[in-house]
Amino acid sequence: MNMVDRSKPLDVLNKSLKSSVIVKLRGGREFRGVLDGYDLHMNLVLSIAEELGEDMSVTNVMGEILVRGDNVVYISPTELKEQETSKGEAKTKEHGEKEPW
């Protein structure tokens, strides 16, 4: 795989726009919500945000929040978009590859 084909971190974030993500922050707090926007500093805007407990249960419904990028440990997509799912299935069948995520 050459450098042109590799995904970059902001490419992954861009693919996750308008879909559900889990964000872990320094200090251990985790939030789940729809990624509505981000910038180069990884400041995030989440809508329908919920704070999650250690067992992944909802402990607090937050609504719309802004997460400062220097507190972000990771951002993880929680589900594939419909387009990505159909592409992944085709790729899996053709090349025997596992689905992304």
Side-chain angles (χ1 to χ4, degrees):
M1 180 183 285
N2 63 29
M3 289 297 287
V4 176
D5 296 334
R6 289 192 179 164
S7 291
K8 296 179 180 127
L10 292 180
D11 294 338
V12 175
L13 271 181
N14 202 35
K15 286 181 184 178
S16 297
L17 275 173
K18 305 300 180 197
S19 63
S20 184
V21 295
I22 292 178
V23 178
K24 183 165 184 146
L25 304 181
R26 284 192 294 169
R29 293 175 75 182
E30 286 187 283
F31 294 90
R32 178 177 51 214
V34 175
L35 180 63
D36 279 342
Y38 65 92
D39 65 12
L40 294 177
H41 303 285
M42 288 247 286
N43 296 316
L44 309 172
V45 177
L46 298 179
S47 62
I48 316 170
E50 306 167 320
E51 186 171 0
L52 303 175
E54 288 184 23
D55 60 352
M56 297 301 283
S57 64
V58 176
T59 60
N60 196 1
V61 177
M62 308 291 287
E64 187 171 48
I65 62 172
L66 172 68
V67 179
R68 187 177 163 121
D70 63 355
N71 290 316
V72 174
V73 174
Y74 68 75
I75 304 166
S76 176
T78 60
E79 58 190 39
L80 293 174
K81 290 184 181 178
E82 229 175 88
Q83 290 177 326
E84 295 296 319
T85 304
S86 61
K87 286 180 187 176
E89 287 172 3
K91 198 182 254 188
T92 301
K93 291 175 186 174
E94 290 176 17
H95 303 291
E97 295 177 12
K98 294 182 181 177
E99 287 189 41
W101 311 119

